[in-house]
Amino acid sequence: MRNIKSLVAVIVISVLVSCVFITTASVSAQSISVLGVSTVANNTENAEALPEANGMDDYENAIAAMINNIREDNGLNAIAADGSLNVVAEIRSQDLINRNYFSHYTPEGTNVFNVMKDNGVSYRYAGENLAQSSPASAGTAEAFINAWVNSPTHMANILRAQYTKIGVSMVEIDSRRVVTTVFTN
């Protein structure tokens, strides 16, 4: 029964996403862009929506739940929402929006790994997936997940077996939506 539900969900998502122009560069009036990065460094359960207490809203919970569905469908454990990673993801999303850029590197050359260090987050494995859309309404959770699934680097982050924690943040202003997912062990 779960496989049938999963198949129906994939078909529905595919149909919805097929209506959205997906690209790796913002070149049209309506587009979705995605970026992914991961690292290995020595810095020292379930696919349902994660509890509201994790600080994520319904949209962010949907992103995390879909990522966990993908992981479980590929034989991996679900990953848990982490408040510290939500803070890191929020900092990244807000900075991308406030300073109007889209990159794993800030204009000063820092990145998510610097933000984690500055916020006391230690890890051995870590990664970041970014997505943005314009107009903002094109950036549904399903559209971003589909874009990540269809990108080898993003899918590698989603399926990295070492990851046990996730932080998700969506920030929207005017006609732009940015989503950041941060993964660690």
Side-chain angles (χ1 to χ4, degrees), residues 24-155:
T24 56
S26 297
V27 295
S28 71
Q30 177 173 313
S31 67
I32 293 176
S33 303
V34 294
L35 293 172
V37 66
S38 65
T39 189
V40 175
N42 289 318
N43 180 356
T44 298
E45 294 135 69
N46 116 29
E48 299 301 313
L50 302 169
E52 196 63 41
N54 64 32
M56 297 190 305
D57 64 21
D58 289 343
Y59 181 97
E60 294 158 342
N61 266 311
I63 293 280
M66 285 186 258
I67 287 171
N68 275 334
N69 282 334
I70 293 164
R71 289 177 62 83
E72 288 181 343
D73 288 347
N74 285 276
L76 298 171
N77 291 330
I79 51 181
D82 181 89
S84 296
L85 294 182
N86 288 337
V87 169
V88 170
E90 175 73 18
I91 290 168
R92 291 286 294 135
S93 289
Q94 199 64 59
D95 191 53
L96 291 164
I97 285 283
N98 290 346
R99 299 200 297 162
N100 197 30
Y101 70 97
F102 188 64
S103 172
H104 287 293
Y105 293 91
T106 67
E108 298 78 29
T110 62
N111 59 33
V112 69
F113 309 115
N114 300 108
V115 176
M116 284 191 277
K117 181 180 176 187
D118 292 346
N119 286 277
V121 175
S122 60
Y123 58 88
R124 180 167 172 87
Y125 299 93
E128 172 183 69
N129 281 356
L130 300 175
Q132 71 173 354
S133 65
S134 182
S137 60
T140 65
E142 293 84 3
F144 285 154
I145 290 293
N146 189 58
W148 287 331
V149 165
N150 288 308
S151 164
T153 57
H154 298 94
M155 191 62 162

Side-chain angles (χ1 to χ4, degrees), residues 2-17:
R2 180 162 188 240
N3 287 340
I4 292 172
K5 285 181 182 178
S6 296
L7 179 60
V8 170
V10 169
I11 292 169
V12 169
I13 291 168
S14 297
V15 169
L16 290 173
V17 173

